[in-house]
Amino acid sequence: MKVLVVDDQKVNRTLPRVLLQQAGCEVFEADCGEAALAFLKGQRVDAVLLDISMPGISGTDVCRLLRQDAACAGLFVVAYTAHALVSERHDILAAGFDELLIKPINRQRLLSVLKLPV
């Protein structure tokens, strides 16, 4: 599985990268929404872990743009965020995300969300 991890904080990209690589995934990183969109124009991945709160284009806006792009049809997009309120969860999923992963993450939850063997 190919996964793009998008977060403006390097430390928040490192843990999922390591866990996913240990699970046999090919992992790419982007440090902002603009970089993620540019990357996805030239590369196909199976899933994107997308931080919600980033400078520039928010993760929510990136998700909406991906959902409007026919080239990204079927892309599994996971909100990767510290926002955990029930009302925020509803708004996040309504923006087009397939799943929500709350920081801090653990190996079991990450692999389960991506439907990988735990």
Side-chain angles (χ1 to χ4, degrees):
M1 173 180 269
K2 294 181 179 182
V3 182
L4 174 62
V5 178
V6 186
D7 198 300
D8 57 310
Q9 300 294 317
K10 183 168 179 57
V11 67
N12 290 333
R13 295 190 309 268
T14 301
L15 179 59
R17 177 180 47 79
V18 169
L19 294 174
L20 290 168
Q21 286 174 331
Q22 288 173 348
C25 296
E26 186 175 357
V27 182
F28 306 92
E29 296 182 33
D31 62 0
C32 64
E34 294 86 350
L37 291 170
F39 177 87
L40 291 168
K41 285 196 185 302
Q43 292 278 340
R44 294 286 303 165
V45 295
D46 303 298
V48 177
L49 292 185
L50 186 55
D51 185 26
I52 297 296
S53 300
M54 295 182 289
I57 301 175
S58 73
T60 303
D61 288 339
V62 170
C63 183
R64 286 187 182 114
L65 290 168
L66 293 174
R67 293 303 184 216
Q68 295 169 5
D69 185 346
C72 293
L75 181 61
F76 193 75
V77 184
V78 178
Y80 176 54
T81 183
H83 303 286
L85 299 177
V86 172
S87 62
E88 290 172 319
R89 177 181 171 83
H90 178 269
D91 292 343
I92 288 167
L93 293 174
F97 288 94
D98 294 297
E99 186 59 78
L100 177 62
L101 191 59
I102 304 296
K103 297 173 192 171
I105 63 168
N106 64 50
R107 180 182 184 279
Q108 182 175 355
R109 178 73 177 133
L110 174 63
L111 298 183
S112 175
V113 162
L114 293 174
K115 298 170 180 54
L116 294 168
V118 177

